[in-house]
Amino acid sequence: MPYDSIAIETPPAQQARRTRAAPERPSRAGFLEQFAAFFVNDIAIDLGTANTLIYLKGRGIVLNEPSVVALRRVGGRKEVHAVGLEAKRMLGRTHGRIEALRPLRDGVIADFEVAEEMIKHFIRKVRRRGFANPRIVVCVPSGATAVERRAISDSCLNAGARRVDLIDEPMAAAIGVGLSIRAPVGSMVVDVGGGTTEVAVLALSGVVQARSIRVGGDKMDEAIVAHLRRRHDLMIGEITAERIKKEIGAARTTKESETLMIAVRGRDVKRGVPFEVTVSQAQIASAVAEPVAQIVGAVRMVLEAAPPELAADIADAGIVLTGGGALLRGLDREIRDQTGLPVAVPPDPLACVALGCGMVLEHPSWMREVLH
């Protein structure tokens, strides 16, 4: 584990003397730190296109909700009506006075004001009242521009943060998985999110080679919508497309793909009436083939650009696949077959980035090395 160096072993004799001696009173500085920690909870945020996860220092992941906001029109202005899971249920089902939208697109903020309101809502939901505002660590795509990074930082500051630090998503994912990023050994992470896919080679607490492409779960949903309209004249919404992807979606076909079926309801494009069709896993795999090929292509490009010594390390250790997109059936095997390298998927790939941000909060000595 990369945090072994933080734990300090106490020799048995010294430990015995400390056990017999009277307990030491905490120093004034230590007491003040404990007192402040009781009232101030620093926060780590995985601000994703599809989902937002929040890690509260000392408590772990305390929130995992969709990055969706519902706005209600009152008079001539808009007010926040719902945020998170409640707002996501309204997608595609709203009337003229309510609008449900996602303030983040392709991993970055598309609507500044709405994103700020969403962050405020989530922070209020998890944070207890205190004397000082929290410090916030937020992950950002490695390919985000300076303007996009500034927008994320300003949104968190306006939401009540006293200080905002940014960390690259692949670095946070590697820390969350438990890779030894501080060692002079190469590690490779592929983080497939809702709006972006981050591919990076890491070593010595830094990103050696990286590529960020704006392809992820959302592009797969769009591909499923387009496929059903083109092949079956069926119009469906993004919620239905996401359900199809989760239930029978696959990156490649197998022997069982033709027999795995799902009933899909939508609107007939030609007749304009509700309609139902049955689609197979093979059809969905064909629909998402292009986004999957772009992800594999990004992996190959980073491998080709990696220094030879680090490439040799990756050949031994393999690739770690994280993010919600890692749950797509067969994606790990597709990357393995196209690159010839072993691919591992952690037990909870969706939480890796949030856990990595949280680890940076829990171990302040790391902050200088991995934060921007």
Side-chain angles (χ1 to χ4, degrees), residues 192-274:
V192 185
T196 62
T197 293
E198 305 287 322
V199 186
V201 174
L202 313 166
L204 295 172
S205 300
V207 178
V208 179
Q209 194 65 235
R211 183 170 179 80
S212 177
I213 59 172
R214 302 202 169 184
V215 176
D218 289 349
K219 292 296 184 184
M220 296 178 191
D221 296 342
E222 293 172 9
I224 293 172
V225 171
H227 175 83
L228 289 176
R229 180 168 185 171
R230 181 175 62 252
R231 181 162 180 175
H232 299 282
D233 291 325
L234 184 71
M235 177 68 73
I236 63 171
E238 58 180 292
I239 298 297
T240 301
E242 184 181 21
R243 179 177 64 86
I244 295 170
K245 179 183 66 180
K246 288 181 177 179
E247 292 188 10
I248 66 166
R252 57 196 296 178
T253 57
T254 62
K255 295 180 180 178
E256 297 80 18
S257 294
E258 292 293 346
T259 59
L260 290 175
M261 314 290 285
I262 187 174
V264 181
R265 298 181 181 89
R267 187 181 78 240
D268 188 288
V269 175
K270 295 180 178 178
R271 297 182 296 162
V273 297

Side-chain angles (χ1 to χ4, degrees), residues 83-103:
V83 180
L85 186 59
E86 183 181 355
K88 185 176 181 179
R89 297 192 184 106
M90 302 179 186
L91 282 173
R93 296 183 171 92
T94 58
H95 51 74
R97 294 192 305 275
I98 295 181
E99 177 187 11
L101 52 87
R102 290 179 170 177

Side-chain angles (χ1 to χ4, degrees), residues 39-344:
F39 291 99
V40 180
N41 288 115
D42 290 341
I43 294 172
I45 303 178
D46 176 9
L47 194 61
T49 304
N51 295 281
T52 295
L53 286 79
I54 292 184
Y55 183 107
L56 203 58
K57 187 174 182 179
R59 292 177 53 188
I61 295 177
V62 294
L63 182 139
N64 181 359
E65 292 202 24
S67 302
V68 184
V69 179
L71 302 174
R72 177 185 288 274
R73 191 179 300 277
V74 179
R77 58 192 178 85
K78 294 180 180 180
E79 295 180 351
V80 176
H81 178 68
V83 180
L85 186 59
E86 183 181 355
K88 185 176 181 179
R89 297 192 184 106
M90 302 179 186
L91 282 173
R93 296 183 171 92
T94 58
H95 51 74
R97 294 192 305 275
I98 295 181
E99 177 187 11
L101 52 87
R102 290 179 170 177
L104 286 95
R105 286 290 174 188
D106 300 328
V108 294
I109 293 177
D111 191 316
F112 185 86
E113 294 181 358
V114 177
E116 185 179 311
E117 290 298 323
M118 182 184 74
I119 295 169
K120 284 181 181 178
H121 174 87
F122 287 149
I123 291 177
R124 285 195 299 264
K125 191 170 183 178
V126 303
R127 177 175 169 259
R128 59 191 177 204
R129 295 182 181 274
F131 294 131
N133 292 336
R135 178 191 218 173
I136 296 181
V137 175
V138 190
C139 65
V140 294
S142 59
T145 64
V147 174
E148 292 167 340
R149 290 171 184 263
R150 183 62 181 267
I152 293 174
S153 180
D154 288 347
S155 292
C156 293
L157 287 171
N158 293 335
R162 76 176 187 274
R163 173 178 171 178
V164 179
D165 293 305
L166 305 180
I167 180 173
D168 290 334
E169 283 185 13
M171 178 65 71
I175 295 172
V177 171
L179 297 179
S180 300
I181 61 164
R182 303 179 75 180
V185 178
S187 303
M188 187 168 187
V189 174
V190 179
D191 183 64
V192 185
T196 62
T197 293
E198 305 287 322
V199 186
V201 174
L202 313 166
L204 295 172
S205 300
V207 178
V208 179
Q209 194 65 235
R211 183 170 179 80
S212 177
I213 59 172
R214 302 202 169 184
V215 176
D218 289 349
K219 292 296 184 184
M220 296 178 191
D221 296 342
E222 293 172 9
I224 293 172
V225 171
H227 175 83
L228 289 176
R229 180 168 185 171
R230 181 175 62 252
R231 181 162 180 175
H232 299 282
D233 291 325
L234 184 71
M235 177 68 73
I236 63 171
E238 58 180 292
I239 298 297
T240 301
E242 184 181 21
R243 179 177 64 86
I244 295 170
K245 179 183 66 180
K246 288 181 177 179
E247 292 188 10
I248 66 166
R252 57 196 296 178
T253 57
T254 62
K255 295 180 180 178
E256 297 80 18
S257 294
E258 292 293 346
T259 59
L260 290 175
M261 314 290 285
I262 187 174
V264 181
R265 298 181 181 89
R267 187 181 78 240
D268 188 288
V269 175
K270 295 180 178 178
R271 297 182 296 162
V273 297
F275 187 58
E276 177 181 309
V277 300
T278 301
V279 297
S280 66
Q281 187 182 75
Q283 293 181 39
I284 303 304
S286 175
V288 302
E290 183 176 349
V292 169
Q294 289 178 296
I295 292 171
V296 174
V299 174
R300 293 177 64 92
M301 290 183 68
V302 171
L303 285 171
E304 290 172 1
E309 296 296 337
L310 295 182
D313 295 335
I314 296 168
D316 293 334
I319 301 171
V320 177
L321 184 61
T322 66
L327 299 173
L328 183 70
R329 297 169 184 82
L331 181 58
D332 56 337
R333 294 191 295 275
E334 182 68 14
I335 295 175
R336 180 196 64 194
D337 291 349
Q338 293 294 328
T339 62
L341 299 174
V343 180

Side-chain angles (χ1 to χ4, degrees), residues 353-370:
V353 173
L355 288 173
C357 289
M359 287 293 182
V360 173
L361 275 183
E362 300 288 357
H363 303 281
S365 61
W366 281 43
M367 287 194 174
R368 294 185 301 273
E369 300 182 27
V370 298

